Amino acid sequence: LLLMLSVLLVACGSSESSNNGNSAAGDSGEKKVLRISLGLNDQTPLYQSSLKFKELVEEKTDSLEVEVYHSGQIADDRSAIEMLQFGTLEITIPSTAPFTTFVPEYGIFDLPFLLTDTKIVDSVLQGPFGDKLAEKASSQGVIQLAWWENGFRNLTNSKKPIKTIDDLNGLKIRTMENEIHLAAWSAMGANPTPMAFTELFTAMQQKTIDGQENPYPTIHLEKYPEVQKYLTETNHIYSPFIFLISQKTWDGLTEEEREIVKNAAIEAGEHNRNLSRETAVSSLEELKGLMEYNKIEGAELEAFKAAVQPVIEKYKSTIGEDFVNEFLAEIEKAQQ
Ligand code: TK8
């Protein structure tokens, strides 16, 4: 209830300021306000690219106004998706992992060590296969307008360097709220706990967990070196961000507004991918000076992969055997 109330207050505040601040909408009525809920802070490529989306939309029309809320101020990923379904929030850009309880096929991204570089990622997502998956969101009262990027996930912890798979034994790792991630970390010997991203920093600070995994920009820009000492390059998962708009919001837009919003989501998404990749490189450089860094590779990487193989086999059927096979064929095609 409190959450709903605070969102209502935010909504009231925003339509008020749009009235005061802009006479362009004039007598023709109020501007439609599109609020974006983000989990990450205002230093991240996600936030910067959302500002880009705002700019692109607002330069094309006077009828729409975009407001960007960062750091889970409105909600965490899963709650924000639910708000889109109810029509109490317009846009959110979550990771795919918490969306799999709504649409299981998004679970292809949770199968570890399959998407290993950006060339393959782009080839799989920026084409018919990516479109086909995105269309599946519509069954849940939300529309996916574009693929954005969270990035390749890597492990941090406060306990010890992770050089071999045995080092993971008993390590308390926070995972996203996703069954496959839990199963994968258990299979690798760790002791995983699912948790909303909004709870993560405090959990690390209070040491209720030892470690977590996220892309380099998040680890760096959310200041994890303050509470985590060891950084291990595992590249175990590629996390997309998905640009979602509420079906209810979409239904309330004119044809022209839909076109503007969709194109802006795609164009800002390209900007986001570039920025995310540049930031991954610069963030890692910074992190190497702040944490003890090592990389899992060679025979050790093979041991990690072997440990999660049964998990991949097991969850194929949950996701849909045919769909997983199609995904694997796309990866193979991209590698040629
Ligand atoms: C931000 C989340 C986050 C994700 C996670 O809302 O939960 O670890 O990687 O960045 O989507």
Side-chain angles (χ1 to χ4, degrees):
L1 183 64
L2 270 178
L3 180 69
M4 299 294 255
L5 273 176
S6 63
V7 166
L8 278 175
L9 284 174
V10 166
C12 292
S14 55
S15 59
E16 217 168 78
S17 67
S18 72
N19 285 341
N20 297 341
N22 201 317
S23 51
D27 296 328
S28 62
E30 293 204 352
K31 287 191 181 219
K32 294 172 194 166
V33 178
L34 303 177
R35 287 163 304 154
I36 305 181
S37 168
L38 305 175
L40 298 182
N41 72 23
D42 60 356
Q43 304 301 301
T44 57
L46 178 65
Y47 180 79
Q48 298 306 327
S49 313
S50 299
L51 292 185
K52 176 86 184 168
F53 169 80
K54 173 180 166 69
E55 185 188 305
L56 290 169
V57 168
E58 291 179 357
E59 78 187 12
K60 293 219 168 58
T61 176
D62 282 334
S63 66
L64 298 175
E65 181 173 322
V66 178
E67 295 177 354
V68 188
Y69 295 89
H70 58 83
S71 307
Q73 282 166 314
I74 292 186
D76 62 51
D77 282 356
R78 202 180 51 183
S79 319
I81 295 165
E82 283 165 1
M83 289 170 72
L84 258 59
Q85 294 183 311
F86 288 127
T88 51
L89 173 68
E90 294 76 41
I91 295 171
T92 188
I93 314 177
S95 294
T96 47
F99 193 52
T100 55
T101 48
F102 302 87
V103 183
E105 284 91 341
Y106 282 82
I108 52 170
F109 301 108
D110 305 314
L111 304 173
F113 303 111
L114 293 184
L115 285 176
T116 46
D117 71 57
T118 50
K119 203 184 126 247
I120 299 177
V121 165
D122 290 346
S123 153
V124 173
L125 292 188
Q126 306 298 320
F129 181 82
D131 292 348
K132 183 173 161 181
L133 177 50
E135 277 160 24
K136 295 185 191 291
S138 331
S139 68
Q140 292 298 312
V142 299
I143 299 172
Q144 184 188 333
L145 294 182
W147 292 102
W148 285 31
E149 179 163 292
N150 191 355
F152 291 97
R153 304 183 78 88
N154 293 292
L155 182 67
T156 69
N157 85 95
S158 59
K159 283 263 158 95
K160 58 182 177 192
I162 305 300
K163 301 238 159 96
T164 73
I165 190 156
D166 293 340
D167 295 328
L168 286 175
N169 249 325
L171 202 71
K172 277 189 251 157
I173 295 177
R174 173 269 176 178
T175 71
M176 291 188 281
E177 296 166 288
N178 178 290
E179 211 185 324
I180 308 179
H181 287 225
L182 280 172
W185 285 105
S186 297
M188 291 185 276
N191 179 6
T193 323
M195 193 182 287
F197 183 77
T198 42
E199 323 262 307
L200 174 53
F201 194 88
T202 311
M204 289 189 287
Q205 205 166 32
Q206 297 180 343
K207 295 210 170 5
T208 50
I209 52 164
D210 304 320
Q212 65 83 45
E213 38 83 63
N214 253 297
Y216 293 134
T218 300
I219 296 171
H220 177 223
L221 301 170
E222 299 276 346
K223 299 199 169 15
Y224 292 178
E226 287 179 4
V227 287
Q228 300 272 277
K229 183 156 180 221
Y230 303 98
L231 172 62
T232 308
E233 181 161 327
T234 46
N235 261 346
H236 52 284
I237 293 282
Y238 174 80
S239 260
F241 275 136
I242 43 179
F243 190 107
L244 300 179
I245 186 164
S246 160
Q247 177 78 55
K248 292 205 163 83
T249 307
W250 190 249
D251 292 344
L253 299 180
T254 65
E255 252 337 297
E256 195 200 342
E257 287 168 341
R258 287 183 192 171
E259 206 50 29
I260 291 170
V261 167
K262 172 146 200 190
N263 289 336
I266 292 169
E267 193 178 331
E270 272 160 34
H271 175 79
N272 171 258
R273 271 194 300 285
N274 293 332
L275 193 59
S276 156
R277 289 165 195 186
E278 284 163 24
T279 311
V281 174
S282 56
S283 283
L284 175 58
E285 278 319 302
E286 294 290 328
L287 288 169
K288 282 178 175 169
L290 299 166
M291 304 173 86
E292 206 175 290
Y293 164 87
N294 73 290
K295 178 175 178 172
I296 302 295
E297 53 195 338
E300 208 41 56
L301 181 59
E302 293 312 314
F304 277 71
K305 288 185 184 174
V308 299
Q309 196 53 42
V311 176
I312 295 179
E313 289 310 320
K314 175 171 176 209
Y315 282 95
K316 263 187 183 170
S317 60
T318 315
I319 298 169
E321 192 99 29
D322 290 347
F323 195 69
V324 173
N325 288 336
E326 218 177 301
F327 174 59
L328 295 175
E330 285 291 321
I331 294 176
E332 202 151 305
K333 200 167 76 192
Q335 278 166 334
Q336 280 159 11

